[in-house]
Amino acid sequence: MSFSSDNEFFLRDFRSKCRLLTGKDLSAKYAQDYQKESRLRMARAYGALDGSLNRKAELYEELLEHFGILDLEFLAWNIYYDEHATPLFLSLSNKITQLCGGHSTGIFLDLLIGRFSVHDDDLIKGFLKSYFIKLLSLKADEWENETLTRNPVIESIVKWLTVCLVTEGAEQEVLQMILHFTKLWSIYYARPYNCHKGLIFYHKFFDGYDKILMSDLRTNISECIEKAVGTLDALFVPITHSPFTDIDNRSFHAQMEGRALTSVEGKYIVRTGEFHERMKSATVYFKNLESIPWLDLVEATMDSTGQTKEAYMIELDRRSRTGQAPTANEIIGLGEYLSKDRKWSPTNLILAKVIRQNYIFFV
């Protein structure tokens, strides 16, 4: 059975309701009324395949015919992460090029389409090499010298990322890099899962990250990772995650088959948890802390640790130094808080100073 025959009534309804719509109206109608159900049906059809290249190509051909003009990016990412990505893209190249219509799609297909005419057996590997060499300003031999024990590409990615973290407007580039790095990882380091390479990445990253003043952060990498994971989780093809996106180590654990962890694997799991926790903690530096009421800020300070606590403390100190006064009710609340917690912690010292500066008669 084909996707078209299995979903005949759904497709008929879709066509009849949308036949008079074009452009933004058609896109809006699809997004609102049909996208969710369409993607569920795509996933169901893909899951029913026997995994052969021919069956996948036939399915993608149908999906591009029915939904390509409306959901090309979604379908392209699925093909990209498919284990048969190169032969699938080459067999579907005419259809994809036609759907793009010679116009910029704003996605990685712009770069990939330029390689279709080469009919390279290593289309995806060639694309990744071209993408990362350009992004990182690598020499060709540096890409070739990346091995299980040598790390010029990993080191360059870390250096590039460290610069992006303190650069305004780098979020989209970081997001794209994470998505392509995850594909790179699935090809070169996922079978078996290379925990040693992952540990090198984390070590190099933290070596640079720890030298950054948190107040200098301009790119919220946790948000970029969250968006990347959201993109990958929405796809219907199986995903092998990279150290960036394997938040719960699911891709790593999928290969464990019940055996005990080696020491390297144990360290990798610990470092993965540390990486994602620290990136998540750093999101506090992207919040508008100035708008948080005094009492909420104090409570958040006391309930947090590490980088998050540091950020709240900086805001408390800023308010104290600049004379940003609490309201009378907030002063009463701060006084009640101090009466319950008489430990002279840095937080309490700041609060006592604020009370003395603004409403001495409340002390």
Side-chain angles (χ1 to χ4, degrees), residues 166-210:
V166 294
T167 302
E168 294 279 3
E171 289 83 2
Q172 190 59 31
E173 271 196 307
V174 171
L175 171 60
Q176 291 291 315
M177 186 279 293
I178 292 172
L179 289 169
H180 292 310
F181 182 81
T182 298
K183 179 61 179 181
L184 180 148
W185 188 271
S186 72
I187 293 175
Y188 294 102
Y189 305 119
R191 297 179 182 85
Y193 204 90
N194 194 327
C195 292
H196 181 72
K197 182 71 75 172
L199 282 172
I200 290 172
F201 165 75
Y202 289 138
H203 173 75
K204 298 289 184 182
F205 175 79
F206 283 128
D207 189 48
Y209 184 74
D210 289 340

Side-chain angles (χ1 to χ4, degrees), residues 282-309:
T283 59
V284 69
Y285 289 94
F286 299 92
K287 295 179 180 178
N288 181 15
L289 300 185
E290 296 182 12
S291 65
I292 300 178
W294 270 94
L295 295 178
D296 291 344
L297 180 62
V298 171
E299 183 176 348
T301 304
M302 300 310 297
D303 291 343
S304 58
T305 58
Q307 291 175 313
T308 306
K309 189 180 189 74

Side-chain angles (χ1 to χ4, degrees), residues 72-214:
L72 179 59
E73 182 172 0
F74 175 72
L75 289 169
W77 282 119
N78 275 285
I79 299 170
Y80 183 60
Y81 287 105
D82 197 292
E83 62 178 338
H84 295 115
T86 287
L88 283 171
F89 269 126
L90 291 176
S91 68
L92 299 166
S93 60
N94 290 336
K95 184 65 176 177
I96 293 173
T97 304
Q98 177 187 351
L99 286 167
C100 291
H103 302 292
S104 173
T105 62
I107 57 176
F108 72 98
L109 274 179
D110 290 349
L111 299 174
L112 198 58
I113 285 174
R115 305 186 65 89
F116 282 167
S117 60
V118 180
H119 281 270
D120 187 351
D121 289 339
D122 286 325
L123 174 72
I124 300 301
K125 289 182 179 180
F127 164 75
L128 288 169
K129 177 180 178 179
S130 176
Y131 170 80
F132 279 105
I133 284 179
K134 182 178 180 181
L135 181 74
L136 307 174
S137 300
L138 292 173
K139 298 175 182 177
D141 63 332
E142 289 181 298
W143 178 267
E144 303 300 336
N145 286 336
E146 183 78 16
T147 65
L148 294 179
T149 56
R150 302 177 68 181
N151 309 283
V153 176
I154 293 293
E155 290 174 2
S156 295
I157 288 174
V158 168
K159 290 177 183 177
W160 176 87
L161 184 58
T162 302
V163 173
C164 286
L165 291 179
V166 294
T167 302
E168 294 279 3
E171 289 83 2
Q172 190 59 31
E173 271 196 307
V174 171
L175 171 60
Q176 291 291 315
M177 186 279 293
I178 292 172
L179 289 169
H180 292 310
F181 182 81
T182 298
K183 179 61 179 181
L184 180 148
W185 188 271
S186 72
I187 293 175
Y188 294 102
Y189 305 119
R191 297 179 182 85
Y193 204 90
N194 194 327
C195 292
H196 181 72
K197 182 71 75 172
L199 282 172
I200 290 172
F201 165 75
Y202 289 138
H203 173 75
K204 298 289 184 182
F205 175 79
F206 283 128
D207 189 48
Y209 184 74
D210 289 340
K211 296 173 184 175
I212 298 175
L213 292 176
M214 294 297 99

Side-chain angles (χ1 to χ4, degrees), residues 219-281:
T219 295
N220 188 343
I221 188 174
S222 181
E223 186 176 275
C224 295
I225 291 171
E226 185 178 337
K227 288 181 179 179
V229 172
T231 296
L232 297 172
D233 284 349
L235 304 180
F236 52 74
V237 297
I239 300 294
T240 300
H241 287 275
S242 70
F244 278 114
T245 59
D246 203 12
I247 294 177
D248 54 6
N249 291 298
R250 49 186 153 168
S251 290
F252 166 72
H253 284 302
Q255 299 186 27
M256 289 297 296
E257 299 179 347
R259 65 175 176 79
L261 293 173
T262 66
S263 60
V264 171
E265 291 168 340
K267 290 176 183 177
Y268 174 76
I269 289 177
V270 171
R271 289 296 263 178
T272 300
E274 180 185 356
F275 172 75
H276 289 291
E277 181 60 34
R278 289 187 64 181
M279 297 307 100
K280 187 176 181 180
S281 295

Side-chain angles (χ1 to χ4, degrees), residues 9-34:
F9 296 109
F10 173 76
L11 292 171
R12 184 185 302 168
D13 179 70
F14 169 60
R15 286 193 293 268
S16 66
K17 297 287 178 59
C18 298
R19 62 189 177 87
L20 298 179
L21 300 176
T22 59
K24 293 182 179 179
D25 292 336
L26 176 59
S27 296
K29 180 68 173 177
Y30 175 73
Q32 180 177 328
D33 297 338
Y34 291 99

